[in-house]
């Protein structure tokens, strides 16, 4: 998943572009499910020791790639789609918990109301939330 991004999209993002962690909003919504630049930029510089949670990813995160980026594999948790009941409620509860430095998920849709709620929850828990939408 993330390795494919690095192999296929490095020519689109200049290496000199750096986004400071504190400049990222608490919630990042992307409708380009192949563009993981903001996520990769964040997690490679994330110095927190809280977990990084992938909820229902379209594939398995490449742990070797993340370890090479300085992320220890013990910080990475992946919840496959078949283990999830109510996706939105799970996302909200993980942000409320404050246990995760980064929460990444893929949704069919993320309306303005959900975006506002997720943004507030991520801000309150000092987490970064990345949502990839297909619509």
């Amino acid at each position: 998943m993330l390795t494919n991004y690095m192999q296929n999209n490095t020519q689109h993002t200049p290496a000199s572009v750096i986004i400071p962690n504190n400049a990222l909003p608490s919630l990042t919504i992307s409708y380009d499910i192949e563009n993981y630049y903001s996520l990769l930029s964040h997690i490679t510089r994330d110095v927190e020791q809280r977990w990084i949670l992938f909820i229902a990813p379209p594939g398995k995160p490449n742990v070797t790639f993340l370890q090479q980026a300085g992320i220890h594999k013990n910080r990475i948790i992946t919840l496959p789609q078949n283990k999830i009941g109510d996706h939105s409620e799970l996302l909200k509860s993980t942000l409320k918990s404050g246990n995760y430095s980064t929460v990444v998920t893929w949704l069919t849709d993320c309306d303005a109301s959900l975006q506002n709620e997720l943004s507030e929850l991520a801000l309150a828990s000092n987490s970064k939330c990345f949502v990839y939408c297909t619509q």
Side-chain angles (χ1 to χ4, degrees):
M1 172 180 76
L2 296 178
T3 302
N4 291 342
Y5 166 76
M6 290 300 288
Q7 291 171 350
N8 297 330
N9 294 309
T10 52
Q11 71 274 9
H12 300 297
T13 306
S16 61
V17 174
I18 297 174
I19 302 170
N21 273 347
N22 59 1
L24 276 176
S26 295
L27 175 65
T28 300
I29 303 284
S30 177
Y31 292 91
D32 181 357
I33 60 172
E34 296 297 320
N35 185 354
Y36 296 108
Y37 178 73
S38 292
L39 172 62
L40 291 171
S41 179
H42 166 69
I43 63 175
T44 57
R45 290 186 328 274
D46 183 16
V47 295
E48 285 204 44
Q49 294 306 305
R50 294 184 294 163
W51 290 316
I52 298 169
L53 177 64
F54 291 90
I55 300 174
K60 287 186 176 184
N62 187 314
V63 175
T64 303
F65 170 76
L66 294 171
Q67 284 181 295
Q68 290 171 347
I71 305 298
H72 196 278
K73 68 180 180 179
N74 290 342
R75 288 188 58 211
I76 301 166
I77 299 173
T78 303
L79 294 176
Q81 180 66 42
N82 64 350
K83 303 287 184 193
I84 299 169
D86 185 330
H87 198 133
S88 295
E89 286 305 312
L90 174 64
L91 181 55
K92 292 175 198 177
S93 67
T94 58
L95 289 171
K96 285 178 189 175
S97 75
N99 293 326
Y100 306 94
S101 67
T102 306
V103 178
V104 185
T105 195
W106 291 259
L107 297 173
T108 304
D109 186 33
C110 190
D111 64 26
S113 174
L114 181 58
Q115 288 180 29
N116 289 336
E117 189 173 3
L118 295 176
S119 183
E120 289 174 12
L121 291 170
L123 187 60
S125 66
N126 194 29
S127 299
K128 300 295 184 193
C129 183
F130 293 84
V131 177
Y132 293 91
C133 294
T134 56
Q135 294 181 13

